[in-house]
Amino acid sequence: MNNSKNKLKICRVCGLYSEEYFPWGEDGESPTYDFCFCCGVEFGYGDATLEGVKSWRKKWIESGAKWHDPEYKTENWSLEEQLKNIPEEYR
Ligand SMILES: [Zn+2]
């Protein structure tokens, strides 16, 4: 996960990585206003500022890190592992 393209496939709040998904568009500047399957943030709204990203993440983890769309949750999902995906600048 070292190139910039891959970074665009990661939810800034929870670190969810998706092969074919770009929360903020392929240019990283065109939010989709979709909701993250995992933390439920609305891309382009709840994650528009670093402050927003951090407070959403905090609230989400404090409330048990529940999946917004549990059907996408993988069997051996690990919150800790997923959080490692979050790009440096959004931690
Ligand atoms: Zn998320």
Side-chain angles (χ1 to χ4, degrees):
M1 234 160 282
N2 293 319
N3 70 52
S4 58
K5 190 120 194 176
N6 278 344
K7 209 153 86 172
L8 295 173
K9 296 172 179 245
I10 292 169
C11 172
R12 298 174 180 184
V13 172
C14 70
L16 183 69
Y17 175 82
S18 170
E19 212 42 70
E20 71 264 36
Y21 196 68
F22 294 91
W24 275 70
E26 294 198 42
D27 59 3
E29 289 171 17
S30 318
T32 57
Y33 298 102
D34 283 335
F35 294 92
C36 177
F37 296 145
C38 187
C39 68
V41 74
E42 185 176 354
F43 303 126
Y45 180 65
D47 66 350
T49 62
L50 181 60
E51 229 169 81
V53 166
K54 285 183 173 175
S55 78
W56 192 286
R57 185 185 303 134
K58 190 167 176 275
K59 267 187 252 162
W60 174 65
I61 291 174
E62 279 174 1
S63 62
K66 290 194 189 75
W67 276 64
H68 180 69
D69 242 321
E71 61 192 275
Y72 291 98
K73 186 176 176 183
T74 50
E75 222 163 280
N76 49 5
W77 180 71
S78 153
L79 171 64
E80 229 167 274
E81 284 303 311
Q82 185 175 288
L83 291 175
K84 288 181 191 163
N85 292 341
I86 299 168
E88 214 53 60
E89 60 265 45
Y90 299 115
R91 288 181 188 216

